[in-house]
Amino acid sequence: MTATLEQLRRCHFAVDLGAARTRVYVKGSGLVVDQPSVAAVNTRTGALIAVGEFAERMTGRTPDYIRVMRPVSGGTVVDIEMAQRMLRHLLGDKMRRALRRKPFLRAAACTPHDADPLAQRAAIETLVGLGARRVELVDTLIAAAVGCGLPVEQPEASMIMVCGAAATEVAVLSLGNIVTAERIRVGGEAVDHAIVQHLRHEHELMLPSQNVRPLQLALSGNGLTPHGPASTEIHGRDVCTGLARSVQVDTAAVRDAIQTPLTAVLDSIGKVLRDCPPDLVADLADRGIMMVGGSALLPGFDQMLRQATRMPVHIAERPDICAVQGLGTMLEGKIEPMELNPTSS
């Protein structure tokens, strides 16, 4: 963790800028923003037309002079100016005025594990543009572990897997720090892409971007296991004719199509366990893996991990907001570091 708990207690608000959603926690007010990280801009005038859910609904449905943008990619801010404009609009005038009244406004932000200096600088400049005089950075793995209630400050192993839209991070934590971690650029978007490509190649069907998640949900609670439904009906556009068409999709074939990105996740778990000290691995045999992040809700994902690792696998109560909840917990001073009482010689 880059910032100390004492530094985080002085912060007034925290931001989790994700590739899929942006969340803002304000000290004393709780979670005030939970919206998609999307903005729609008029390219002729440069005016911001919409942000959040409304802008996301505009994806693929706009005239040529309206551009739908995602200023965050892979957990990193790629367009600082647009990210600032999006955050200002999401916070609203009333909340921004309340924050500006703070004499020395401090902010906290999540950053991916092993984020390079440029990515960290982009996160800092984004919040400085909102009026923050100082920005504290917190590793997403630490924030998510705190948010889902793991005893990260204790001398025992806690394993967490953050399943994001653009990347998956796996780590073993102990004594408030990361013992070993791995980050791969495979997330929910990779699964979506695999499904889209499967339907295009096997059924010559072009799937609207808004329909990918419903396809995953159609796999039901046992989606990644053979116990799910045998088939499901999917609506899309014919690649050749351009006309609307519906097909019956074999869910077993869908499961095979998404095995490649999911296998990469399993490989990262194995690497983390191999690099972890044996004493901590012994703790994990009973404690297991905690899954957080929006992609943790992929039907049957936890069962597949349980079968592959032979370890207990748990999904957090609200996996999608664990990182910002962890930041909020640290801002409110609800977590205390473990105090050591050395014996006097």
Side-chain angles (χ1 to χ4, degrees):
M1 183 161 53
T2 307
T4 66
L5 288 174
E6 184 59 34
Q7 290 171 326
L8 289 171
R9 288 193 189 99
R10 299 174 186 170
C11 293
H12 302 98
F13 72 103
V15 178
D16 177 18
L17 275 169
R21 298 185 74 87
T22 292
R23 299 176 175 94
V24 180
Y25 185 102
V26 175
K27 193 173 185 177
S29 300
L31 186 64
V32 297
V33 173
D34 184 2
Q35 295 279 340
S37 304
V38 187
V41 180
N42 186 325
T43 57
R44 295 174 180 172
T45 63
L48 191 64
I49 297 174
V51 297
E53 292 180 355
F54 185 49
E56 188 176 51
R57 290 201 301 270
M58 296 169 64
T59 304
R61 297 178 171 88
T62 61
D64 57 359
Y65 67 90
I66 295 179
R67 183 183 174 194
V68 178
M69 306 175 63
R70 291 185 176 270
V72 184
S73 176
T76 301
V77 178
V78 294
D79 189 333
I80 296 175
E81 181 184 357
M82 186 53 62
Q84 290 173 349
R85 295 176 68 184
M86 180 184 72
L87 278 171
R88 289 193 195 102
H89 198 283
L90 289 174
L91 280 171
D93 293 337
K94 183 178 179 182
M95 184 59 68
R96 281 165 43 214
R97 282 196 298 268
L99 290 174
R100 281 200 299 265
R101 283 196 290 266
K102 307 293 182 183
F104 191 88
L105 186 63
R106 294 172 180 256
C110 285
T111 56
H113 179 67
D114 285 344
D116 58 73
L118 285 177
Q120 295 180 1
R121 187 66 187 173
I124 291 172
E125 288 189 10
T126 299
L127 298 189
V128 167
L130 293 178
R133 302 286 297 276
R134 182 180 175 89
V135 179
E136 310 291 353
L137 300 180
V138 181
D139 196 301
T140 301
L141 291 164
I142 298 288
V146 172
C148 64
L150 290 179
V152 293
E153 295 294 333
Q154 300 302 315
E156 54 191 31
S158 298
M159 189 169 189
I160 187 166
M161 184 169 73
V162 180
C163 310
T168 299
E169 301 175 67
V170 185
V172 175
L173 312 174
S174 181
L175 288 173
N177 282 290
I178 297 172
V179 178
T180 178
E182 185 76 10
R183 182 173 185 261
I184 57 170
R185 293 191 174 275
V186 174
E189 291 176 355
V191 175
D192 294 345
H193 181 71
I195 295 173
V196 169
Q197 292 302 310
H198 168 75
L199 292 175
R200 188 182 183 94
H201 294 153
E202 298 297 326
H203 300 276
E204 296 184 347
L205 192 75
M206 188 176 294
L207 192 68
S209 59
Q210 303 293 331
N211 286 1
V212 177
R213 288 298 174 182
L215 173 62
Q216 294 179 8
L217 297 178
L219 297 177
S220 82
N222 296 316
L224 300 181
T225 68
H227 306 293
S231 64
T232 184
E233 187 177 22
I234 301 299
H235 307 282
R237 189 181 73 181
D238 191 281
V239 173
C240 299
T241 66
L243 301 176
R245 185 163 66 92
S246 299
V247 296
Q248 285 292 129
V249 178
D250 183 8
T251 53
V254 174
R255 287 195 295 270
D256 292 339
I258 62 179
Q259 283 303 311
T260 299
L262 296 180
T263 300
V265 175
L266 292 176
D267 291 342
S268 68
I269 293 175
K271 186 177 187 304
V272 168
L273 291 174
R274 287 193 298 272
D275 294 342
C276 189
D279 291 343
L280 295 180
V281 175
D283 292 344
L284 296 174
D286 298 325
R287 191 179 299 276
I289 306 171
M290 178 65 75
M291 296 176 64
V292 302
S295 298
L297 299 173
L298 182 65
F301 193 13
D302 57 330
Q303 296 183 35
M304 189 192 77
L305 292 180
R306 201 174 290 116
Q307 293 171 1
T309 62
R310 298 181 181 179
M311 294 169 58
V313 178
H314 314 281
I315 300 178
E317 184 176 352
R318 288 292 308 276
D320 51 337
I321 62 172
C322 280
V324 74
Q325 278 186 333
L327 286 176
T329 300
M330 291 184 275
L331 260 63
E332 303 284 1
K334 295 180 180 178
I335 180 172
E336 296 291 338
M338 186 183 69
E339 294 189 8
L340 301 177
N341 298 314
T343 56
S344 57
S345 55

